Amino acid sequence: MSAETPASPEVRKENRFKVWRQTRPFWAGLFTIIASLPIAYLPYGDVRLGNMTLAMATTAGAGALIIGVLLFTLGLTMWFQPVVRVFAGVATIVLGLVSIPVSNFGGLVIGFLFALMGGGMSAAWAPAPPVEETDDAEHDGEPVASEETAYAAETEAVLAAGVPEQAHGPATDTTIDAKGGRNSAG
């Protein structure tokens, strides 16, 4: 088997969706798409409870449908164009807020809450930094650096960075030592 021969097809197919999902704001897009459904459906749908029909039709049904379609489109945009995730997140939040007066309290608050969660997750999502592969990961079958030494080095670096060095120089009339530590305002 050469270095260019791919792994077995079963493994690659199973991991494709996982890799695709991890390289974009997947859950934000899913919540945004879920938010679009009650916002767009409720002004046109009716609920039957026995012999009683509960219709939630409003005069702003077209506005609710437009908001629902835009939220659905923004959810797909988060999935397939993750570069514009911040714009899509902010637009999702704004549309969720607009859906409160336009679409039956934001799809009975369900669509509104999903829109806020999806928009916030999209605006906050950032791609993972690229993984740097090193050749010195193992030496003779044993790891080169143990977790304890890596933790100690990291702790030492954090402690050293937290203490700034003090500069000591000659006292002038603009330093705190002038006039017994008192500065005059005039």
Side-chain angles (χ1 to χ4, degrees), residues 73-112:
T73 305
L74 286 171
L76 293 177
T77 301
M78 291 174 198
W79 282 352
F80 297 109
Q81 295 293 327
V83 175
V84 294
R85 66 189 178 276
V86 176
F87 168 76
V90 171
T92 299
I93 292 171
V94 169
L95 285 173
L97 290 170
V98 169
S99 73
I100 291 175
V102 172
S103 175
N104 297 328
F105 296 111
L108 295 179
V109 183
I110 296 168
F112 167 70

Side-chain angles (χ1 to χ4, degrees), residues 159-180:
L159 291 176
V163 180
E165 293 185 25
Q166 299 293 324
H168 299 290
T172 62
D173 21 315
T174 59
T175 63
I176 198 166
D177 295 330
K179 297 183 185 178

